[in-house]
Amino acid sequence: MCGIVGYIGEGDAVSILIESLKKLEYRGYDSAGLALLDDEGKPQVFKSEGEISQLESILPKLSSCVGIGHTRWATHGKPSTVNAHPHVSGSICVVHNGIIENYQELKEALESEGFIFVSDTDTEVLAHLINKYHTEHPGDLAGALKSALEVVRGSYALAVLSEEHPHELVAARKDSPLIIGLGENENFIASDIPAILKYTNRVIYVDNLEMVTVKKTSVQVFDLEGNPKTKEEHIIQWDLEAAEKAGYPHFMLKEIHEQTSSIHETLAGRLQELEGDVTFEELGLDKEQIRKLQRIEIIACGTSYNAGLVGKYLFEGQTGIHTDVDNGSEFRYSNPVLAPSTLVIAITQSGETADTLAAVREAASYGCKTLAITNVVGSTMSREASNTIYTRAGPEIGVAATKSFISQLVVLYLLAIHFARVCSMMDADRVRKLLSELRKIPGHVDRILMDKERIQKCAARFSASKDYFFIGRNINYPIALEGALKLKEISYIHAEGYAAGELKHGPLALLSKDVPVVAIAPQGHTYDKILSNIREVKSREASVIAIADSDDNEISKYVDVVIPIPKTDVILSPLLTTVVVQLLAYYTALERDCSIDKPRNLAKSVTVE
Ligand code: AGP
C-alpha cells in the first residue's frame, strides 16, 4: 500500500503536495518523493528514504504549480532513495500504488530494447513503457498511458507528469483507490480523500479501468478504450479526523474493511492458475529442498501465533510435513530439537517482536533455514531471516491485528499449496479449484461486511457478559483462539478459546446462562462433532452464537444466534470466520465504550522481552 498525489493549478505545488502526502502517511512511510515542473517548465525530482518530513527537509526553495508525489510502503525492493517514487524515463515521471505482476517479463523485454533500469521496483517498467509509447506517438500522453496499460497485468493507481505536457497530468486506476479533487483553477489527484480535504471537498471517485486527464480548469474521465465517461461530483461532509479513517470511527474498523483489498494484494502475482501452482519469488527454496523437508517449525506470538496454528493444519493436512508451532517466548528457552532439514517459519506482522526475533536467532544457530512472513519491508526480521515473504497488507494502525492476520493466513495457504504441489500431494486440478475459491474470498468478505449490523446486534445483546467462550474444531480451532484474543484485547471481557472437544475436560464447569459461547461451525468433516459440542453447551443453559455456512438450515434449531458466512471450501473457511470474530470483538468494545485502537497496557510492536 502506498499513497499517490498530484496537483495542477495556480497554488504552490510543493507545499500542497507535501501537505497532501502527510495525510496519506497511514498508507506507508518508508520513503517518499516529488516530481515537479519548475517555473521554466523543467522537471525537478526529489526523493528521500524515511518519512515525509525527511523529504521536506531536503527540498530547495522552488516555485512550481504542477507536480506529483508519492509515499511508499515497499513491496518490491527495499526502502531506499533509488526505489522511492517518482520513477523517471525520458520526460516521463510516474508515481504508482499497486503491483505490476508481469514486471519481470516486461523488464526483460524493455532491457532488450535498450531501456536502463536503476531501481528494484515493479513501477519502473511503467515509466519506461509510457516513455516508449510516447516516443512512438509524441504529443499524446493519455494515449501513451493507455498503450502501456494494455500490456501490464496487476493493480494500479498511478499519476504521470511530463515536461512535454506542462498543462496536464494523466492518471489511471485498477484495483487501487484513486480520487480527483476539484478546485477553482486547480485540480488534485490522490489515493484518498484526506489528502485533498484541506483544499476542496468536491470529489470524483475514479472507478476501475478508468483514465483521467487532469488540467487546471478541466477533468476528463475515459475508459481504457478512450471513450469519455460522465462522472458524478460528490461533496464530502467529513472533517479531517474522520477522513483519515476514511469516515470510519476507528482504524480497527477501517482495517477490517480493508481486508477485501489486502487479500488481493497478498495474492497478486503469486497465483499460476494455468500451471495449477503458486509462485513466490522470495521463497529461497527450490523444489529439491522442499521435497527434503522433514519438519516445519513455526515461531510467532499473539495473533501471529494463531496464524501459525492454521499453518500447522495446512502443512500437515495438505503436504504431510510434520509441523510444530511455538510461541517465541517459550521456544527461545526450550532447548529445541532441530536439524538442518527443519524449515523454521517466523510469523510477525511488525517484524520487530523481540521474542520471535530471539527464537529465530536460536533456530538459525542449529543450521536451519529461516523463512520470515512479515508485513514490514526492511524490518529486523526481514533482514535477519534467510528469506522473507511479505504479506503486503499495508500499514496497520490499530493495535489489534486484523488485516495483517488475514494476509498471514493467505501467505500460509499459498505456501501450503506450493509445497503440496511440489511434494505431489495435490494435483493441478485441485490446486486450480482452490485458487479459484481463493479468488472469491474478497467478495465473500465483502458480503460479511455488508451484513455487519447483524453482528453488531449480537455484540450488543451479550456485551454485559463477564466471560465468553469461543470454540472451534480442526482448522477453525485457531480462529476460536483468535476470537477470544481479539475480544479480551479490546473489550476487556475475559474470553477463552477452546478446541470444542476439550470443553468436557474442564471448562464445561464454568458454563452457565451468563456465559455466551461462540461456536465456529462451517460444514466439514468435524461438523457433526461440533453440533454435539453445541448440545453439551446448551444443556448448561449457555447462549450459543454459531458462525455457520449460509446454506446450513440445521444449526439454527440448536443455537440462539446464527451469523452466516458465504459457502467456500472448508479449508478456506478461517478467512471468513475470522472476519466475524473481529467484528464481534469490535462491536462489543464499541458498546462498552473501550479505547479500541489503543487498548490499555498494549503496544502495536512489542520490542521488549
Ligand atoms: C494482536 O491483536 C496483538 N496486537 C498481538 O497479539 C500481536 O499479534 C503480537 O504482539 C505479535 O506481534 P507481531 O505479529 O508484530 O510479531
Side-chain angles (χ1 to χ4, degrees):
M1 200 154 96
C2 302
I4 69 164
V5 293
Y7 174 79
I8 186 161
E10 296 173 346
D12 172 16
V14 177
S15 63
I16 291 170
L17 290 171
I18 288 287
E19 277 305 300
S20 303
L21 283 178
K22 283 184 179 167
K23 295 291 173 223
L24 293 181
E25 260 191 323
Y26 79 87
R27 302 182 64 81
Y29 40 78
D30 61 38
S31 52
L34 293 182
L36 303 142
L37 293 185
D38 65 17
D39 269 354
E40 288 161 17
K42 292 271 162 278
Q44 305 282 347
V45 177
F46 305 97
K47 303 187 196 191
S48 133
E49 210 180 310
E51 298 179 8
I52 315 292
S53 51
Q54 240 154 297
L55 171 67
E56 205 175 2
S57 70
I58 62 155
L59 292 175
K61 272 220 161 326
L62 179 75
S63 169
S64 166
C65 296
V66 53
I68 54 176
H70 190 269
T71 179
R72 182 164 185 251
W73 178 261
T75 56
H76 289 66
K78 63 180 192 313
S80 67
T81 306
V82 78
N83 286 337
H85 300 213
H87 289 285
V88 181
S89 177
S91 73
I92 303 293
C93 304
V94 180
V95 290
H96 166 228
N97 168 37
I99 294 173
I100 303 304
E101 295 177 10
N102 56 340
Y103 86 99
Q104 199 56 46
E105 64 191 70
L106 291 172
K107 182 176 175 178
E108 282 159 25
L110 286 160
E111 278 176 334
S112 70
E113 292 174 38
F115 288 92
I116 293 167
F117 282 74
V118 294
S119 77
D120 308 318
T121 67
D122 51 333
T123 301
E124 200 179 348
V125 297
L126 282 170
H128 290 312
L129 278 173
I130 300 167
N131 182 19
K132 170 183 147 136
Y133 293 117
H134 189 255
T135 311
E136 286 169 15
H137 303 283
D140 184 5
L141 188 57
L145 174 58
K146 174 177 171 291
S147 304
L149 296 181
E150 278 166 12
V151 296
V152 302
R153 240 187 11 251
S155 59
Y156 50 78
L158 59 91
V160 185
L161 166 92
S162 164
E163 70 174 303
E164 291 175 46
H165 301 265
H167 303 297
E168 67 178 293
L169 297 172
V170 293
R173 172 192 169 170
K174 179 175 174 270
D175 294 336
S176 298
L178 187 67
I179 57 136
I180 305 296
L182 306 172
E184 289 301 318
N185 288 327
E186 60 181 1
N187 288 307
F188 306 80
I189 296 169
S191 295
D192 198 359
I193 290 164
I196 51 116
L197 212 50
K198 184 171 169 189
Y199 309 103
T200 181
N201 65 350
R202 295 165 52 211
V203 161
I204 290 175
Y205 293 100
V206 181
D207 287 314
N208 258 347
L209 305 176
E210 286 182 345
M211 279 178 46
V212 197
T213 299
V214 184
K215 298 186 178 172
K216 189 169 92 172
T217 53
S218 70
V219 170
Q220 285 175 296
V221 182
F222 305 91
D223 64 21
L224 291 191
E225 269 74 58
N227 304 307
K229 293 189 77 173
T230 311
K231 301 287 289 186
E232 204 184 323
E233 177 181 324
H234 296 262
I235 304 295
I236 303 299
Q237 308 286 7
W238 311 329
D239 63 19
L240 201 54
E241 201 205 322
E244 282 174 9
K245 295 177 189 143
Y248 293 103
H250 297 96
F251 281 109
M252 183 182 176
L253 188 61
K254 174 172 177 272
E255 287 157 3
I256 290 173
H257 278 76
E258 281 171 354
Q259 292 179 123
T260 51
S261 53
S262 56
I263 295 170
H264 271 304
E265 296 281 329
T266 313
L267 292 175
R270 289 169 170 165
L271 308 194
Q272 293 183 306
E273 268 113 339
L274 276 183
E275 295 85 345
D277 204 349
V278 163
T279 168
F280 282 106
E281 280 171 26
E282 329 87 315
L283 182 59
L285 286 172
D286 62 27
K287 291 186 176 170
E288 215 29 58
Q289 287 170 303
I290 294 171
R291 284 189 199 109
K292 283 190 181 144
L293 288 178
Q294 303 258 314
R295 192 181 144 211
I296 295 173
E297 168 69 43
I298 299 178
I299 301 171
C301 300
T303 287
S304 297
Y305 172 83
N306 294 336
L309 285 177
V310 174
K312 175 179 167 70
Y313 283 95
L314 290 173
F315 288 123
E316 294 194 336
Q318 307 304 316
T319 73
I321 304 174
H322 175 85
T323 304
D324 293 300
V325 191
D326 280 293
N327 284 128
S329 55
E330 282 299 311
F331 182 88
R332 61 190 292 192
Y333 299 113
S334 66
N335 297 321
V337 181
L338 291 172
S341 56
T342 304
L343 172 66
V344 173
I345 302 181
I347 308 178
T348 164
Q349 77 79 26
S350 64
E352 302 296 345
T353 300
D355 285 324
T356 311
L357 282 166
V360 167
R361 285 174 197 139
E362 170 81 8
S365 72
Y366 287 75
C368 299
K369 208 167 167 60
T370 56
L371 175 66
I373 298 177
T374 185
N375 199 31
V376 181
V377 176
S379 56
T380 309
M381 184 61 84
S382 72
R383 283 181 273 117
E384 294 198 8
S386 325
N387 288 87
T388 300
I389 295 176
Y390 291 110
T391 47
R392 306 176 186 156
E396 194 173 60
I397 312 292
V399 165
T402 52
K403 62 176 182 170
S404 62
F405 175 68
I406 285 273
S407 290
Q408 289 169 349
L409 294 187
V410 172
V411 167
L412 289 164
Y413 279 106
L414 297 184
L415 263 184
I417 291 170
H418 181 55
F419 285 11
R421 190 77 179 98
V422 172
C423 300
S424 306
M425 295 290 285
M426 219 185 252
D427 62 24
D429 268 354
R430 171 74 179 136
V431 174
R432 274 187 220 109
K433 272 190 197 125
L434 269 180
L435 297 187
S436 131
E437 281 304 305
L438 258 177
R439 287 236 189 248
K440 292 181 201 155
I441 293 291
H444 293 335
V445 170
D446 209 32
R447 239 157 284 144
I448 295 170
L449 294 171
M450 284 192 293
D451 196 26
K452 60 181 184 268
E453 274 174 25
R454 185 199 300 263
I455 301 172
Q456 184 166 15
K457 270 193 209 142
C458 172
R461 177 168 162 192
F462 298 106
S463 66
S465 307
K466 289 203 169 53
D467 305 283
Y468 241 97
F469 272 77
F470 287 74
I471 57 170
R473 297 193 76 121
N474 199 257
I475 201 161
N476 274 295
Y477 158 52
I479 309 307
L481 296 178
E482 177 59 8
L485 178 62
K486 283 284 94 81
L487 191 74
K488 54 192 152 197
E489 185 178 19
I490 61 165
S491 78
Y492 315 143
I493 294 178
H494 166 245
E496 303 262 4
Y498 257 90
E502 282 295 295
L503 281 184
K504 57 185 173 294
H505 299 293
L508 219 44
L510 293 173
L511 295 188
S512 71
K513 63 176 179 20
D514 301 322
V515 183
V517 177
V518 178
I520 306 175
Q523 283 151 330
H525 70 288
T526 57
Y527 176 72
D528 290 340
K529 303 285 168 205
I530 201 161
L531 278 191
S532 306
N533 301 134
I534 287 172
R535 285 194 198 101
E536 288 163 13
V537 169
K538 277 311 291 175
S539 61
R540 273 76 189 178
E541 293 182 14
S543 300
V544 176
I545 304 155
I547 304 173
D549 289 338
S550 52
D551 64 356
D552 182 343
N553 301 319
E554 177 77 4
I555 202 158
S556 58
K557 295 177 198 157
Y558 312 111
V559 303
D560 300 85
V561 181
V562 180
I563 299 173
I565 53 165
K567 187 86 182 161
T568 184
D569 190 309
V570 69
I571 77 159
L572 301 178
S573 62
L575 295 167
L576 305 181
T577 55
T578 294
V579 182
V580 178
V581 297
Q582 291 170 344
L583 286 168
L584 191 65
Y586 173 79
Y587 285 119
T588 306
L590 190 68
E591 195 71 27
R592 292 164 66 94
D593 208 14
C594 297
S595 167
I596 292 180
D597 286 332
K598 290 185 182 155
R600 69 185 182 207
N601 307 337
L602 299 178
K604 185 71 188 158
S605 180
V606 186
T607 54
V608 290
E609 187 176 348

